[in-house]
């Protein structure tokens, strides 16, 4: 007798298991929207390029005045003829912190009735990027605020191109 027959005699009758349906297939991976991802990346890089296209350099002076502000006021601001009633130093803050600090500072200064404030942003000589990040942030934020009448980089004895003097609208 062969081994298989001996084994069957020793085990006896074996009832076969009922047929089981096959296990479900692994779900297919979700499709990857490669074109949408590429479009997003292109849009983000275009946005970054647009932000840096007109970016200020380290030695550039900030300068802006609203149309209803006489040019003479900007000249006086440039020469430092207005006394800064308060100041904030944004050195060592990252962009998000600096923007929050700047907005809070301007709101507080206006609430206090200050007409002129100084913002120290630094010249941007020691940053990782080629353009001074905080200087460009300050320029962008100040241009979009309705309570800012004019601003200009401070005279050399008040910080030069590393600081900006800001004229604020009177509190209503």
């Amino acid at each position: 007798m062969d081994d298989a027959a001996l084994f069957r005699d020793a085990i006896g009758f074996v009832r076969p298991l009922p047929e089981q349906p096959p296990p479900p297939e692994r779900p297919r991976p979700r499709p990857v929207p490669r074109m949408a991802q590429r479009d997003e990346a292109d849009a983000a890089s275009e946005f970054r390029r647009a932000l840096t296209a007109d970016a200020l350099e380290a030695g550039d002076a900030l300068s802006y005045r609203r149309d209803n502000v006489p040019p003479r006021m900007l000249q006086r601001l440039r020469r430092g003829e207005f006394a800064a009633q308060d100041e904030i130093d944004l050195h060592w803050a990252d962009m998000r912190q600096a923007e929050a600090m700047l907005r809070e500072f301007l709101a507080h200064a206006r609430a206090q009735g200050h007409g002129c404030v100084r913002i120290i942003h630094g010249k941007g000589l020691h940053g990782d990027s080629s353009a001074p990040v905080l200087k460009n942030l300050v320029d962008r934020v100040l241009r979009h605020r309705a309570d800012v009448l004019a601003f200009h980089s401070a005279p050399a004895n008040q910080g030069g191109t590393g600081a900006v003097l800001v004229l604020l609208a009177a509190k209503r």
Side-chain angles (χ1 to χ4, degrees):
M1 223 184 200
D2 67 333
D3 290 338
L6 282 173
F7 178 76
R8 278 191 289 280
D9 283 343
I11 296 297
F13 175 74
V14 177
R15 179 175 43 98
L17 292 174
E19 287 289 323
Q20 292 287 332
E25 291 183 22
R26 282 182 59 189
R28 294 184 141 193
R30 295 184 69 156
V32 177
R34 287 191 183 100
M35 191 59 133
Q37 289 173 340
R38 195 173 357 191
D39 288 347
E40 284 293 321
D42 289 347
S45 71
E46 187 67 27
F47 180 70
R48 277 193 294 283
R49 194 171 58 74
L51 280 179
T52 59
D54 56 348
L56 297 163
E57 296 298 321
D60 293 346
L62 297 179
S63 183
Y64 172 81
R65 75 173 173 84
R66 295 217 177 271
D67 292 336
N68 60 344
V69 176
R72 177 111 170 83
M73 291 283 266
L74 187 63
Q75 289 174 349
R76 291 182 60 205
L77 191 62
R78 180 175 46 83
R79 289 192 296 254
E81 294 178 9
F82 291 96
Q85 297 166 299
D86 201 358
E87 78 176 22
I88 186 172
D89 189 346
L90 300 176
H91 276 103
W92 313 116
D94 66 20
M95 262 183 79
R96 195 170 36 240
Q97 290 172 328
E99 185 170 1
M101 289 168 56
L102 180 59
R103 290 182 190 282
E104 184 179 327
F105 170 73
L106 291 171
H108 177 73
R110 184 143 185 252
Q112 295 297 314
H114 297 321
C116 181
V117 295
R118 182 182 307 114
I119 300 167
I120 302 169
H121 49 72
K123 295 184 180 183
L125 300 175
H126 304 291
D128 296 334
S129 67
S130 61
V133 176
L134 292 179
K135 184 177 198 170
N136 283 291
L137 170 78
V138 168
D139 183 59
R140 188 184 75 234
V141 169
L142 293 179
R143 286 178 188 272
H144 290 97
R145 288 190 61 102
D147 56 352
V148 172
L149 299 175
F151 60 88
H152 198 284
S153 288
N157 64 346
Q158 294 183 34
T161 58
V164 63
L165 295 173
V166 181
L167 283 182
L168 297 173
K171 183 172 73 168
R172 294 179 204 180

